[in-house]
Amino acid sequence: QVRLMESGGKSVQVGESLKLACEFAGMPPDISCMGWFRQSPGQERVEVAEDLPHGGIKYAKSVEGRFVMSQDNRLYFLYLQMNDLRPDDTGMYYCAHGLKVLDRCLPFSTWGPGTQVTVSS
């Protein structure tokens, strides 16, 4: 069974960079799709970055060019490098896992507990 745990969230100033990590275990990477989401109080959880079933990564338009998702399958870690942070990037960040079946990613079904990122101006 998959389990995930995020780390690295903190309070930073506008324009600074931050790297989040997510340790995952329980499923082989070749049948897994991974992603990062974020949520602000009272708002819906939204996608930040996620694996595409045929390779590559899809980024939210709001973070494209600033955030980079990467993965170390040998160490079972997922990362989110966040650059040029803005106040709108504030939120609870979650990593997520979904099964890769055939040539598509199933909806994300396993989530970490989250790590808080706060960007102050």
Side-chain angles (χ1 to χ4, degrees):
Q1 191 173 38
V2 177
R3 58 182 298 272
L4 308 96
M5 181 65 67
E6 305 92 342
S7 63
K10 62 188 294 185
S11 294
V12 298
Q13 298 294 314
V14 168
E16 294 184 345
S17 297
L18 189 64
K19 189 172 185 177
L20 306 181
C22 171
E23 186 175 11
F24 63 95
M27 292 292 288
D30 60 354
I31 59 170
S32 299
C33 294
M34 306 295 298
W36 284 96
F37 291 71
R38 68 187 181 193
Q39 184 176 28
S40 298
Q43 296 185 264
E44 185 177 278
R45 184 179 295 176
V46 298
E47 169 225 327
V48 174
E50 60 183 285
D51 285 337
L52 296 174
H54 297 285
I57 299 167
K58 181 180 70 174
Y59 294 94
K61 295 299 182 182
S62 60
V63 308
E64 193 171 18
R66 298 188 297 119
F67 289 13
V68 178
M69 185 173 76
S70 61
Q71 189 169 320
D72 186 335
N73 292 332
R74 182 177 62 86
L75 299 178
Y76 297 95
F77 269 87
L78 183 74
Y79 302 99
L80 184 67
Q81 176 66 50
M82 305 183 293
N83 300 313
D84 192 24
L85 285 163
R86 308 166 180 172
D88 288 347
D89 294 319
T90 294
M92 185 73 74
Y93 282 70
Y94 301 89
C95 62
H97 170 272
L99 287 173
K100 183 179 180 180
V101 178
L102 300 178
D103 292 324
R104 63 188 181 95
C105 297
L106 298 182
F108 291 104
S109 57
T110 305
W111 301 79
T115 185
Q116 179 68 35
V117 174
T118 301
V119 185
S120 302
S121 59

